[in-house]
Amino acid sequence: MKSLKVVYFESEDTELNNVLPEIVNRIIHNKEDLRGRVRFEAVSIDKFKPSRAECLYITTFETLKKINKNIVNLFGKTIFLYSAKLNTEIVKQAQMLSAVGIFDQSRFYGDRLEYSEIARFEQVLKKHLRKKLSYHLLEQEQCKYIDWKVKYEPEDRNKYISLFSDDRMKEAIAMANRIASNLKGYVETLEKIRDCAEVKKLFKLEISGIESSKTKDITKVEDMYSKITEKTESFGLNNIEAVLITGPTGSGKTLMAKYLANELYGDNFQDYFSKIPIVNLSENLVESELFGSFPGAFTDSRYKIGKLLANAGGVVFIDEIGDISPKIQAKLLTYLDDMRIIIEGYSNPKGVKAPVFIIAATNKDLPKEIEKGNFRADLYHRFKYKISLPSLQERKSDLRYLISFVLQEAVHARKSRVKKISIKAIEKLEDYSFPGNFRELESIIFEAVANADLDQRDCVLERDIKI
């Protein structure tokens, strides 16, 4: 392979001469696809001798003026460094030579040190070197091991790791942690209600089934409802605590709900957690799922305990709450205010008092839905706590961590031979907008791993990414 070299023309800035070689050498030696394929040389202008190697030149604007243009061709392969302020003369020179990048050298050290500027320099340098190497290497020779960013552990099946890193997601996690801290006392009280024997008996009756003609069974259920209400009232809870999670489809709302439940109830939170997806359910079914029903309440209705009562003391997650009807919105608001579940067909108009911790999620802009008259403002404001999740497009700094995590998840799930992913495949994923967010990223990567397996390769290539 033709050799590739990075040449730094030393300047009169001694500090830069010390710092810049360290930065460049660190990149070359730390990146497996660059190590052994790129050489670095720091040289003064008067001692420079052109070589046959393909070069990327790094020079300060002041040093550039001393370079003999007949000795070295700088067009399309120069990184400029400047001091003080960027002016039109520097910009024009950079444009004329199609510079790879322009950077403020004073940000590389001293009082004006700025790590973001160094990171930007590193990104530009890596991208250029990889592009040049790609002309001489096979795609699978420029690759990374799938755990290059994060180590996947099979027990991380809840995938909370995918929530971290980006600043927007850090804000959401910080909010979830604050909510969990505020609600610890509420949940501790709920857990005392959780093991109510009557709830377990109601489950058995639901499984066996009761009919409206069986007065004995109906009376038994009503008695159990009364006992649940009495137990709840003895703990002195006054209202339901509720959290609203908003964000686009596929952004991780269910995952955030589980993270919050895990923080409050511990690792066995699944025993206390029930999800109700609202989409594509009729109004009667949604009402029955949430509040329960008695035989004869509506056509084909049967006795159903309902998720709110069944999870007394636990968590009920209402997915896509923005799609519930005005009637269900009104019933839910009443429940949030007084903890009483009004059950269709139950003779006692007061219902049964059974508290839970409510988490709701929606991909809709509820304030806009309120303006249109589709969602109740009083129900929206009843959610004291709100968490907003960003789209994947807003989490670009997270993307390589997520790619690495999902790749390992896919390999584990498929028992795949895949161990690596090419740089080109990573860049193709980075250039995509992911309108379906994290869920779409998972789908694309799982398919890519399957494609590599079909070809009996241990490396995911650009052509395996179907976008």
Side-chain angles (χ1 to χ4, degrees):
M1 189 197 91
K2 192 175 180 181
S3 60
L4 186 58
K5 188 191 291 187
V6 177
V7 176
Y8 167 56
F9 291 121
E10 292 175 337
S11 71
E12 293 177 2
D13 186 337
T14 343
E15 287 190 82
L16 183 65
N17 291 344
N18 290 330
V19 169
L20 194 125
E22 287 181 12
I23 295 171
V24 177
N25 276 315
R26 183 176 67 243
I27 295 168
I28 292 172
H29 292 296
N30 287 352
K31 301 301 171 184
E32 190 177 344
D33 59 314
L34 302 181
R35 193 185 311 133
R37 294 182 174 133
V38 181
R39 292 182 294 119
F40 174 74
E41 182 180 316
V43 61
S44 61
I45 289 294
D46 55 345
K47 293 181 180 177
F48 173 69
K49 292 180 181 179
S51 71
R52 293 185 179 182
E54 189 170 354
C55 296
L56 170 68
Y57 298 100
I58 303 174
T59 178
T60 64
F61 185 66
E62 289 72 20
T63 306
L64 178 68
K65 297 172 185 176
K66 303 174 186 176
I67 297 174
N68 185 334
K69 306 300 188 298
N70 297 322
I71 294 177
V72 56
N73 175 18
L74 298 174
F75 185 81
K77 45 189 177 183
T78 311
I79 292 179
F80 283 159
L81 302 171
Y82 67 89
S83 57
K85 291 184 179 180
L86 185 63
N87 58 43
T88 53
E89 185 185 2
I90 297 170
V91 173
K92 283 179 181 177
Q93 184 69 66
Q95 289 172 338
M96 187 178 71
L97 292 176
S98 293
V100 174
I102 310 175
F103 299 92
D104 183 348
Q105 66 195 62
S106 66
R107 299 291 184 182
F108 285 39
Y109 56 84
D111 295 337
R112 301 194 69 211
L113 174 66
E114 196 172 284
Y115 291 108
S116 59
E117 186 76 348
I118 296 173
R120 193 170 69 87
F121 170 82
E122 290 179 349
Q123 283 298 111
V124 168
L125 182 60
K126 285 186 291 186
K127 188 171 182 179
H128 179 83
L129 294 176
R130 282 169 175 160
K131 182 180 178 182
K132 290 296 180 184
L133 285 171
S134 69
Y135 300 148
H136 312 290
L137 297 171
L138 295 172
E139 185 182 344
Q140 53 263 46
E141 291 182 273
Q142 282 188 286
C143 61
K144 291 179 177 291
Y145 283 99
I146 58 176
D147 62 353
W148 90 102
K149 275 294 184 183
V150 63
K151 182 69 175 174
Y152 171 87
E153 301 295 344
E155 56 268 26
D156 289 336
R157 57 188 177 277
N158 287 317
K159 299 180 284 192
Y160 300 139
I161 193 169
S162 67
L163 295 172
F164 298 101
S165 187
D166 175 83
D167 286 343
R168 282 286 309 278
M169 193 54 81
K170 283 177 183 173
E171 288 174 16
I173 286 290
M175 175 59 76
N177 291 339
R178 283 197 293 273
I179 292 168
S181 175
N182 288 347
L183 296 182
K184 278 288 184 188
Y186 175 72
V187 166
E188 284 170 6
T189 305
L190 285 185
E191 286 181 304
K192 295 173 185 175
I193 299 164
R194 177 67 189 168
D195 296 324
C196 185
E198 280 69 25
V199 173
K200 295 174 183 176
K201 292 175 188 174
L202 287 169
F203 264 124
K204 289 178 182 177
L205 282 171
E206 179 179 286
I207 294 166
S208 61
I210 64 170
E211 300 172 11
S212 55
S213 58
K214 293 183 179 178
T215 311
K216 183 181 175 183
D217 282 347
I218 296 294
T219 306
K220 189 190 295 183
V221 169
E222 291 180 347
D223 287 345
M224 283 188 273
Y225 282 173
S226 297
K227 287 177 182 176
I228 292 168
T229 300
E230 287 171 16
K231 183 171 183 179
T232 297
E233 288 177 340
S234 71
F235 287 108
L237 287 174
N238 298 316
N239 62 287
I240 300 293
E241 294 290 359
V243 176
L244 178 65
I245 303 171
T246 59
T249 300
S251 59
K253 296 187 291 295
T254 298
L255 189 60
M256 178 59 81
K258 289 181 177 178
Y259 174 81
L260 191 52
N262 184 239
E263 287 297 297
L264 284 164
Y265 286 88
D267 292 338
N268 65 337
F269 76 91
Q270 294 284 11
D271 298 336
Y272 303 83
F273 188 94
S274 184
K275 178 180 176 179
I276 305 174
I278 300 298
V279 179
N280 299 325
L281 291 182
S282 69
E283 185 180 84
N284 280 345
L285 277 176
V286 171
E287 186 171 10
S288 177
E289 279 292 307
L290 274 171
F291 302 99
S293 60
F294 267 62
F298 54 86
T299 306
D300 297 327
S301 68
R302 58 187 179 83
Y303 172 66
K304 191 172 180 64
I305 187 173
K307 291 290 199 301
L308 293 174
L309 183 53
N311 286 274
V315 185
V316 172
F317 175 45
I318 306 173
D319 197 15
E320 300 308 341
I321 194 174
D323 293 316
I324 63 175
S325 69
K327 177 186 174 183
I328 307 300
Q329 288 181 42
K331 283 193 75 167
L332 186 58
L333 179 62
T334 301
Y335 172 66
L336 290 172
D337 283 339
D338 64 12
M339 263 183 247
R340 289 187 179 272
I341 299 162
I342 308 301
I343 303 160
E344 200 73 16
Y346 177 40
S347 58
N348 187 341
K350 289 184 178 179
V352 55
K353 196 168 186 178
V356 299
F357 172 37
I358 295 277
I359 305 176
T362 182
N363 61 5
K364 292 187 174 180
D365 185 334
L366 290 188
K368 284 186 179 177
E369 294 299 310
I370 290 167
E371 287 177 12
K372 294 175 187 175
N374 296 333
F375 200 83
R376 296 179 64 120
D378 46 3
L379 178 56
Y380 175 72
H381 294 302
R382 188 59 187 73
F383 288 91
K384 189 192 303 182
Y385 303 101
K386 297 179 178 71
I387 301 172
S388 175
L389 299 185
S391 67
L392 199 54
Q393 184 67 18
E394 298 172 276
R395 298 178 62 192
K396 282 297 185 182
S397 64
D398 260 4
L399 196 52
R400 290 204 170 196
Y401 290 93
L402 296 176
I403 291 169
S404 176
F405 179 85
V406 177
L407 270 169
Q408 293 170 80
E409 182 190 22
V411 166
H412 176 75
R414 290 185 51 83
K415 296 182 171 55
S416 168
R417 68 170 65 211
V418 167
K419 295 178 181 177
K420 301 174 184 178
I421 181 171
S422 74
I423 300 295
K424 282 189 175 180
I426 294 170
E427 289 173 348
K428 186 174 182 179
L429 287 167
E430 287 181 313
D431 289 339
Y432 185 57
S433 60
F434 292 101
N437 295 294
F438 184 76
R439 196 175 296 140
E440 185 180 12
L441 173 67
E442 281 189 310
S443 173
I444 289 167
I445 289 180
F446 269 71
E447 183 184 6
V449 170
N451 292 335
D453 281 338
L454 285 172
D455 276 355
Q456 298 186 332
R457 283 183 275 104
D458 70 349
C459 183
V460 170
L461 302 179
E462 183 182 23
R463 66 173 179 265
D464 296 323
I465 310 292
K466 306 299 183 183
I467 49 179

